[in-house]
Amino acid sequence: MSGVLALLGGPRSAALHLGLIAVLAVLQFVLAEYHHIAMSRILVLACFAIGFNIAFGYTGLLSLGHALFFGAGMYGAGLAAQFLAVAGPGAFLIGLAAAIATTLIAGAIALRTAGVSFMIVTLMFAQAGYLTVYYFGAYTRGDEGFVVDATMRTLFGLALNDATVRYWIALALFAVCLVGALAVARSGLGRVLVAIRENEERARMLGYDVYRYKLTALVISGAMAGAAGAAYGLLFGYVGASFASIQYSILPLLWVLMGGAGVVLGPFLGTLAMFYLIDLTSGVTTAYLLVVGLALIALILFFPKGILGTLREKLGARGASWLP
Amino acid sequence: MDFGPFFLLAAMEGAVGAAVLAVTALGLSLVFGVMRVVNVAHGEFYMLGAVIAWWVTSLLGVHPALGFLAALIVSPLIVGAIAGAAERLVLTRIHYDPEATIVATIGMLYIIQQAVLMTYGPDARPVQPPFDFRIQLPWFGYSGYKLFVILAAALLMLAVWWGLTRTRVGLMMRATQFDRETARAFAIPVDTVYGGVFAVGAMLAALGAVLVTPIQQAHYLMGHDPLLLSFIVVIIGGLGSLRGTVLAAVIIGMSDGIISVFFSPTLAKIIATLAVAFVLVWRPQGLFGERPA
């Protein structure tokens, strides 16, 4: 029991994170239809953001190419379902494997650089991935995308186009990613990652193989992004090139910055807040990306630590015990 | 058309693209060289330059040549002012931290792009070329304006080179690029230089765009490709090396034009983006970089 508690970051943190999952499980019976669907989307996208946070928040690797991993998961799963007639669980695993393989290759090369070069290399890899989707337009149908056949969107006999099933699966995936991130953050691995973020040279001097740790962090990050992409494609039944575009590399960055980089709950809060912020303003203007731009600048100027990062700092030692 | 003339046409189209690209990328390279920051909003300053050019020419409603000349002066000034203001308001406050600057300029990208969408709209609009003049080659006729673009771009680059190497302001910029702290110790107003360089970088993008509007219409999403191509050029040419930037612009612009004509444009871009990634990984100083990073 104490092992599980330690994994979850102590009693307070365990209560907070498990409590959130419980609240989300109950919430679906209260939410109106529109918000019910929105919430399942947010939960899947939050997994993407949680993955991004492992690289950016904990390891200090600012990637501008996570759409590549999200897209690899989505296209891996979507194309498997569409052309190989592999149903739900198999397609998901193929997507996940595609994302892990992509991250491993792209990461192994990109991590030879650091700082601004790393950002541009990841950006370029993601751009090449995006263009590849167009290049194979005969299968992917480029920008237009394709609808995944409903008969392939099943999981152990459950139809994925049912809203309740979808919510439960999204929540299950979210729970796995959240607890996984918590476990990583609290583990020895997580502490080394933070040490690398804070001072890479010092970590190297202490004898850590920095490159290998960074690659490990990136692969965990890419796997979560890919899982989110695969789940998104299968749950909502649509696979399109826009999900591999640069915008989907920027969005997780925005979500994590808003919620709080390096806080396990940050990505979820950021995704939730940003989703409803855009939702509210899209009633006023169609130029919703304006909100994205304003939010990015406001955050970087006034709240570089995000909502939960600022809160944790204010709370001091107590904050650290609630919000690892 | 035979292969020879066809290739000549592709090469000429490539040269026009390369000329505009060189001017645009020079702006990005200057900002990176002096300030050591990557300006992701560079493509949007380009787009803004084109949109303002359309606005100036249609508002004046005079002879195309006069309108174009007015746009060539007014558009870079407005864009420079906007970029300078953005630099003062945002970049100074985050102290040019490289990562924070990228995030902030991504924010600027969306704000400028969407502000233009809300005011100018989603339509693509043309600007009249300042003169109609066709050069008749034995195989095909070619727009005289396109040749003027190449000439104008070459003159602009000479002007930048002259400004950087022969004037006092240029000396200040080079001193700041060489060693910021020492420059400050010699009473060079480094902050003002930063603001000025950021504005000049954006003005070069705007100039490239004004030159291109009579060939390619002004549209709120037109900044995307020049940004990526400028990135490619600046990195392959060596970050901060102006000579390398111009050289790489000619190579990338020409090959992009030629590969696009003979193969697939998508394939040309995939090759170029991957080339950049590998250059950064294995030769971070760029192909023509003068010193190792």
Side-chain angles (χ1 to χ4, degrees), chain A residues 112 116 119-120 127 287 290, chain B residues 38 99 102 114 228 235 282:
Chain A
R112 295 172 58 105
V116 171
M119 294 182 219
I120 298 176
Q127 185 65 21
L290 186 70
Chain B
V38 176
E99 301 200 346
I102 287 199
Q114 299 298 310
L228 274 178
I235 289 163
W282 276 288

Side-chain angles (χ1 to χ4, degrees), chain A residues 7 11 28 62 65 80 88 138 145 173 187 211 213 240 252 256 286 312 319:
Chain A
L7 186 81
Q28 63 167 315
L62 178 42
L173 184 69
S187 68
Y211 178 83
Y213 275 100
V256 168
T286 50
R312 179 167 68 183

Side-chain angles (χ1 to χ4, degrees), chain A residues 65-85:
Chain A
H66 259 56
L68 180 65
F69 313 138
F70 186 76
M74 179 177 263
Y75 275 96
L79 292 173
Q82 198 73 352
F83 294 102
L84 306 176

Side-chain angles (χ1 to χ4, degrees), chain B:
Chain B
M1 214 183 315
D2 289 334
F3 177 79
F6 194 48
F7 187 82
L8 180 67
L9 181 64
M12 284 169 86
E13 288 291 305
V16 176
V20 175
L21 181 59
V23 174
T24 311
L26 202 58
L28 193 69
S29 181
L30 194 65
V31 168
F32 184 86
V34 177
M35 300 169 70
R36 298 275 136 192
V37 297
V38 176
N39 175 18
V40 186
H42 196 66
E44 303 315 305
F45 290 132
Y46 175 91
M47 177 274 287
L48 212 51
V51 167
I52 294 173
W54 173 84
W55 180 68
V56 168
T57 47
S58 61
L59 204 67
L60 285 179
V62 290
H63 185 271
L66 268 178
F68 181 80
L69 204 65
L72 208 51
I73 296 164
V74 174
S75 172
L77 285 179
I78 297 180
V79 172
I82 292 173
E87 197 268 351
R88 289 290 96 168
L89 281 174
V90 179
L91 298 191
T92 51
R93 296 195 191 179
I94 51 176
H95 310 293
Y96 310 102
D97 174 73
E99 301 200 346
T101 302
I102 287 199
V103 176
T105 50
I106 292 171
M108 288 179 197
L109 181 160
Y110 284 128
I111 292 174
I112 296 173
Q113 185 190 83
Q114 299 298 310
V116 169
L117 172 64
M118 287 163 83
T119 50
Y120 172 84
D123 305 323
R125 294 174 183 149
V127 169
Q128 284 266 311
F131 51 84
D132 266 326
F133 176 66
R134 287 186 77 76
I135 292 169
Q136 196 56 48
L137 296 175
W139 315 278
F140 52 83
Y142 201 71
S143 151
Y145 177 74
K146 286 187 176 174
L147 296 179
F148 164 77
V149 168
I150 298 177
L151 187 73
L155 284 177
L156 266 172
M157 281 180 285
L158 271 178
V160 170
W161 172 81
W162 181 82
L164 274 176
T165 54
R166 297 285 184 273
T167 66
R168 197 177 153 69
V169 175
L171 183 66
M172 283 183 176
M173 286 185 185
R174 283 183 296 136
T176 309
Q177 167 164 11
F178 195 69
D179 187 336
R180 186 202 315 196
E181 294 309 319
T182 311
R184 206 192 300 270
F186 278 84
I188 288 175
V190 169
D191 291 335
T192 317
V193 170
Y194 273 23
V197 165
F198 197 76
V200 169
M203 287 167 84
L204 281 170
L207 279 168
V210 177
L211 288 178
V212 99
T213 41
I215 306 172
Q216 192 193 341
Q217 305 189 339
H219 182 250
Y220 83 105
L221 288 177
M222 74 189 291
H224 190 248
D225 276 357
L227 174 69
L228 274 178
L229 282 173
S230 296
F231 261 149
I232 292 170
V233 161
V234 169
I235 289 163
I236 289 187
L239 286 165
S241 150
L242 297 185
R243 198 176 310 154
T245 301
V246 174
L247 214 56
V250 173
I251 295 174
I252 295 289
M254 294 288 288
S255 59
D256 191 64
I258 294 171
I259 296 179
S260 298
V261 168
F262 288 100
F263 302 97
S264 133
T266 315
L267 188 64
K269 293 222 162 54
I270 294 178
I271 292 172
T273 46
L274 286 180
V276 165
F278 289 115
V279 164
L280 264 183
V281 170
W282 276 288
R283 213 182 138 81
Q285 72 272 35
L287 293 185
F288 311 105
E290 280 133 15
R291 56 182 148 38

